[in-house]
Amino acid sequence: MFLFYIATGVASMVLFGQATSGAQGTAATLASIARHTTTVRLTVVLGLLTFMDAVVLAVALYALTRDQDRDLAMLALCCRVGEGVIGAISAVSTLGLLSVAMASTAAAGPDAAAVHALGDLLLKAGGGYTLVGATCFAVGSTLYSYLFLRARNIPVLLAWLGVLASVLLVAGLPLQLAGFLSGPATHFMWIPMAVFEVTFALWLLIKGVATTPKRISPELGDVTA
């Protein structure tokens, strides 16, 4: 699911980039989107899949970490589900942007100005959805990584990489959202997280997560670790 999440997210960004490639200004961007209707709709489908990825990951990671601290694990679950919900809302916004783009091809005069203003608003809102959703992701990832570090059920260095990569995003994303951070730094700060998630995904596929065996007490009939 980690790898599938990365694949669907990256594919969605690449396809939307193709739909707006080379366009300068709102009018040109809307015209380009209108010419790539199928591509834009595919990004919406991928956005829905990304929502499902985020929710499945949230539940799976909660199941692996709840024994360490149920409250922190639940908070992380809520953050990751919130991330997925924001992504789904962004997909709906993209559908709205497509409708505006289609309308812009036939609008003229004052109507065209109004359509372009609405399109510009939706284009800017898309970036906001991405940053807010990514911040929810970063907080959830920080909590889950911390719980894995406490549990010692994955390599300690890998858990520390997850904590540090997540904290870097928790610090950097709000600064980017506030306008204090821009340029290449906004891309470079994702590199440690990409390394962590790919490495963690491969570790889960090959080794899995060590769990504490449970036994049933014959006298009480309850489950104890």
Side-chain angles (χ1 to χ4, degrees), residues 109-140:
D111 290 339
V115 169
H116 291 164
L118 179 57
D120 185 59
L121 176 63
L122 290 174
L123 285 169
K124 291 178 179 177
Y129 284 130
T130 300
L131 287 176
V132 173
T135 303
C136 292
F137 158 82
V139 174

Side-chain angles (χ1 to χ4, degrees), residues 86-176:
I86 292 170
I89 294 172
S90 178
V92 175
S93 178
T94 301
L95 281 177
L97 178 62
L98 179 60
S99 297
V100 171
M102 297 298 292
S104 71
T105 60
D111 290 339
V115 169
H116 291 164
L118 179 57
D120 185 59
L121 176 63
L122 290 174
L123 285 169
K124 291 178 179 177
Y129 284 130
T130 300
L131 287 176
V132 173
T135 303
C136 292
F137 158 82
V139 174
S141 180
T142 300
L143 294 171
Y144 279 137
S145 298
Y146 167 70
L147 292 174
F148 279 121
L149 182 61
R150 278 180 50 180
R152 295 293 197 273
N153 53 6
I154 65 173
V156 174
L157 289 178
L158 181 59
W160 269 115
L161 175 61
V163 171
L164 296 176
S166 302
V167 169
L168 178 62
L169 292 177
V170 169
L173 287 169
L175 291 176
Q176 184 180 354

